[in-house]
Amino acid sequence: MHFDRELDVKGLNCPLPILRTKKALSEMSQGEVLHVLATDPGSLKDFEAFARQTGNELLSSTEANQVFEYFLKRK
């Protein structure tokens, strides 16, 4: 999937992945896509809730080898 910026938050636990994602999205333009890599197992629910609450679109969420990969589209 095409993305405009990548954010690696592997090794960080809640709430840091969401806080760093929020900061990164705030620096992006509307419609741009952020690719996030995380290892926190709780991040799946966190990113789903974050997208609902902020209006940013969670385009995709996958997990492979204990690494969670998210694509969020800036509102």
Side-chain angles (χ1 to χ4, degrees):
M1 181 180 295
H2 165 79
F3 58 90
D4 300 288
R5 183 170 173 183
E6 185 170 73
L7 179 64
D8 185 343
V9 291
K10 294 188 299 247
L12 300 178
N13 293 319
C14 184
L16 289 175
I18 291 295
L19 294 175
R20 298 227 175 136
T21 297
K22 183 177 180 181
K23 182 180 186 310
L25 284 169
S26 74
E27 298 167 352
M28 296 172 67
S29 299
Q30 182 177 354
E32 287 188 321
V33 175
L34 177 64
H35 177 222
V36 183
L37 298 168
T39 51
D40 180 2
S43 66
L44 180 59
K45 288 185 179 186
D46 292 342
F47 275 89
E48 289 171 349
F50 173 77
R52 266 195 319 275
Q53 292 169 0
T54 62
N56 295 297
E57 185 179 355
L58 182 59
L59 300 173
S60 168
S61 62
T62 58
E63 186 267 334
N65 300 320
Q66 299 177 337
V67 175
F68 298 88
E69 184 176 38
Y70 304 100
F71 289 90
L72 290 120
K73 186 175 185 179
R74 170 86 154 86
K75 68 174 181 177

